[in-house]
Amino acid sequence: MTQSITCKKVTSLLALYIDNKLDPRMQLFVKQHLEICPYCHKKYIMLKQLISELRNAYKDMIQDTAAEEKHRQFNIKEYEKFHTNLSAYFDNELPLNESVSMKKYMIKFPNARKDLEEMYNLHKIINSSLLCVKKTLNEDYSKTICYRVLGKNPDFKKQITLKIASFVGIIIMLATLITANIPIGKTVKEKSIKLFKKTIYVHSPINHELASDLMQ
Amino acid sequence: MHLVKRHHKNLSRDNLILLAQQDDYHALEELIKREQKNVYASFYYLDPNRQDIPDLTQEALFRMAKNIKKLRDPKKFQSWFNQIITNLFHDEMRKKYKKPQTLSIDADTSEQSNIVNITELRDKKKLPAESTLAGELNNKIISAIHTLPEPFRVAIVLRELQGLSYEEISNITQTSIGTIKSRIARARTKLQENLKPYLIQ
């Protein structure tokens, strides 16, 4: 029985033998042959090693690509998360743990910082525009609104001030007229008492006439 | 009298509000003086049609001055006042939509004037207020904000110009904080797209 299987046959069957794909009888024949034939046994061990190495390498490769794929997907997701959270991060509205992860992400990918800078620039130009718009308002509504709240006529205060102003003005005019009397009166006394006596007027209008007379 | 006024100028806003609540009209006046430009700017960015902005501003200031006693915490003034502004803005928008302009079929269409009156479009480039503004960039920013859909515009104005927190904005607009967060993020991306050439420095 053992002689019935040759080394050549065993060599061709080895691959199947390693995978246990022979029928039990043949399996037994090959096994028995390997036990007695050192040449075939050596071949068998070499082939087994080669196959197992290849299989391991293939497994590793598959695992590697799977991990890589997973890693890349994770990155895109991470970036999307980063991008959606960026606005809230800029406004300081993120919970602490999320803002820490945002910071970590920006340390990991320095390019991500550019997004944040862009947001900051947007904020800056909007605010400069706001200042320009604020400047275009030249009116002051404070007084009119205060009066509206008080339920008064906005001109109410103006009227009072006008009255006061006119009153003060009249007093000043009177005062100037009275004070103007004195020097003219003095000159009258000094220079022409006679002329003064001839005049009937006592009030101020006369002073102008008197003055003009004196000038002549 | 002069001394009193000068005194008010150095007061903080919170103190001005407290004084205004106790019928101090000089404080109220000073408060309005400080806030009016802000209100004006808010309406300027909110309302793309830019009609009656001075009227809206005055109305908002008046409502603020009238109801100032109802404000309990002066620290919440900013959000309270912006509530008034946005409510007024929405009221105004509603009024405009309630009176839709119509084109009569029976009217004599041979006369060009009829059509022109109704379908008249404002020349955005030649508005008097805008002509005084410095630069093309400013106009670009304003029109970029105006092209945003209304809820996004409101959110971005309250955030960027008024500096309100997301919580305050969500209270004012009666939406969730998550919605506000996404609205602001999307508004920003839109603005960044539109203003791209000006953002790279």
Side-chain angles (χ1 to χ4, degrees):
Chain A
M1 276 272 266
T2 47
Q3 256 76 43
S4 65
I5 194 158
T6 60
C7 283
K8 224 179 180 180
K9 270 188 183 169
V10 167
T11 316
S12 60
L13 291 172
L14 267 180
L16 293 169
Y17 174 76
I18 288 164
D19 284 344
N20 277 332
K21 292 211 171 141
L22 291 172
D23 65 292
R25 248 181 75 226
M26 286 302 272
Q27 196 91 4
L28 194 69
F29 285 154
V30 176
K31 202 185 168 190
Q32 279 168 352
H33 178 85
L34 287 176
E35 276 167 7
I36 53 162
C37 175
Y39 177 72
C40 283
H41 190 73
K42 206 179 168 189
K43 250 188 180 175
Y44 160 73
I45 284 171
M46 271 173 71
L47 190 65
K48 202 178 179 183
Q49 261 182 359
L50 187 69
I51 286 173
S52 73
E53 264 171 37
L54 274 172
R55 288 212 170 128
N56 281 338
Y58 181 67
K59 257 186 203 167
D60 283 354
M61 204 181 75
I62 284 179
Q63 271 178 356
D64 279 0
T65 48
E68 214 170 86
E69 198 115 292
K70 210 178 172 186
H71 190 61
R72 203 184 301 149
Q73 265 185 355
F74 184 57
N75 257 342
I76 290 166
K77 268 186 188 168
E78 224 181 15
Y79 179 70
E80 274 171 3
K81 199 186 164 195
F82 169 79
H83 199 77
T84 48
N85 274 344
L86 190 64
S87 157
Y89 174 75
F90 181 75
D91 291 333
N92 217 355
E93 293 274 354
L94 277 183
L96 188 67
N97 57 339
E98 279 188 56
S99 75
V100 167
S101 70
M102 291 290 281
K103 271 177 197 160
K104 275 184 187 164
Y105 187 82
M106 275 188 286
I107 291 164
K108 203 167 151 194
F109 303 98
N111 274 347
R113 216 158 235 296
K114 280 182 188 165
D115 288 8
L116 188 69
E117 275 166 24
E118 209 169 86
M119 200 158 274
Y120 179 67
N121 285 340
L122 179 74
H123 177 73
K124 248 178 27 189
I125 61 168
I126 287 178
N127 271 293
S128 68
S129 150
L130 175 68
L131 282 178
C132 288
V133 171
K134 277 186 181 175
K135 273 181 200 161
T136 56
L137 178 73
N138 298 319
E139 287 154 272
D140 182 10
Y141 301 127
S142 62
K143 286 224 162 80
T144 42
I145 283 158
C146 272
Y147 286 125
R148 259 178 84 188
V149 173
L150 282 166
K152 281 180 190 168
N153 186 0
D155 298 329
F156 176 73
K157 207 175 181 181
K158 266 187 198 168
Q159 282 173 4
I160 283 187
T161 44
L162 255 175
K163 274 177 189 169
I164 291 170
S166 56
F167 185 68
V168 170
I170 288 164
I171 287 174
I172 288 168
M173 265 173 65
L174 283 172
T176 46
L177 287 174
I178 289 161
T179 47
N181 269 340
I182 299 161
I184 293 166
K186 273 179 187 172
T187 49
V188 167
K189 277 178 189 171
E190 281 166 8
K191 290 189 177 176
S192 55
I193 296 166
K194 284 177 187 175
L195 207 88
F196 184 70
K197 280 177 179 172
K198 279 175 188 173
T199 54
I200 312 153
Y201 305 107
V202 186
H203 294 295
S204 51
I206 195 170
N207 291 322
H208 299 290
E209 284 178 27
L210 268 178
S212 59
D213 283 354
L214 286 170
M215 288 294 275
Q216 284 169 0
Chain B
M1 185 121 146
H2 195 71
L3 273 173
V4 170
K5 270 196 177 174
R6 200 184 269 171
H7 181 59
H8 278 122
K9 266 187 186 166
N10 299 326
L11 281 176
S12 72
R13 190 175 69 182
D14 289 358
N15 288 333
L16 277 180
I17 294 163
L18 283 173
L19 284 175
Q21 284 175 336
Q22 285 151 14
D23 292 325
D24 183 339
Y25 286 99
H26 292 299
L28 188 62
E29 207 180 308
E30 179 64 27
L31 185 65
I32 293 167
K33 252 182 207 168
R34 282 192 205 176
E35 292 297 322
Q36 57 190 357
K37 292 202 175 203
N38 208 10
V39 183
Y40 177 78
S42 274
F43 281 119
Y44 200 93
Y45 285 101
L46 281 174
D47 191 358
N49 298 318
R50 267 169 288 170
Q51 291 162 333
D52 322 321
I53 290 176
D55 290 347
L56 282 174
T57 309
Q58 286 199 57
E59 185 56 31
L61 286 168
F62 174 65
R63 285 191 192 179
M64 181 273 282
K66 203 177 156 193
N67 296 315
I68 189 107
K69 282 183 191 172
K70 288 179 190 166
L71 177 67
R72 279 180 205 149
D73 183 3
K75 294 229 156 39
K76 286 179 182 162
F77 176 78
Q78 189 76 356
S79 101
W80 175 77
F81 192 18
N82 275 292
Q83 175 96 62
I84 294 175
I85 292 170
T86 38
N87 284 350
L88 188 62
F89 170 66
H90 285 303
D91 287 352
E92 209 57 26
M93 294 298 276
R94 227 170 285 142
K95 262 189 222 162
K96 271 178 196 166
Y97 283 116
K98 264 191 182 174
K99 297 185 277 180
Q101 287 180 316
T102 48
L103 250 171
S104 170
I105 303 166
D106 302 324
D108 189 7
T109 47
S110 64
E111 269 186 50
Q112 281 282 305
S113 60
N114 257 343
I115 304 162
V116 171
N117 274 339
I118 292 160
T119 57
E120 190 181 17
L121 293 173
R122 287 174 138 256
D123 184 359
K124 282 182 183 171
K125 279 181 185 168
K126 284 176 185 172
L127 280 174
E130 227 169 14
S131 62
T132 59
L133 298 180
E136 167 206 2
L137 172 61
N138 197 8
N139 293 342
K140 280 269 161 65
I141 294 165
I142 293 162
S143 62
I145 291 177
H146 284 164
T147 49
L148 292 173
E150 197 197 297
F152 295 87
R153 208 186 317 139
V154 171
I156 203 81
V157 165
L158 290 178
R159 173 65 233 172
E160 283 281 3
L161 310 180
Q162 303 294 334
L164 295 182
S165 73
Y166 287 10
E167 199 188 341
E168 288 168 320
I169 299 171
S170 81
N171 282 336
I172 287 172
T173 53
Q174 289 174 343
T175 41
S176 71
I177 292 181
T179 317
I180 290 302
K181 191 178 148 190
S182 79
R183 272 183 194 168
I184 290 173
R186 280 173 68 190
R188 280 203 172 118
T189 353
K190 267 261 173 74
L191 290 178
Q192 278 173 344
E193 275 168 27
N194 289 337
L195 302 167
K196 194 121 207 168
Y198 306 97
L199 293 174
I200 302 151
Q201 286 177 348

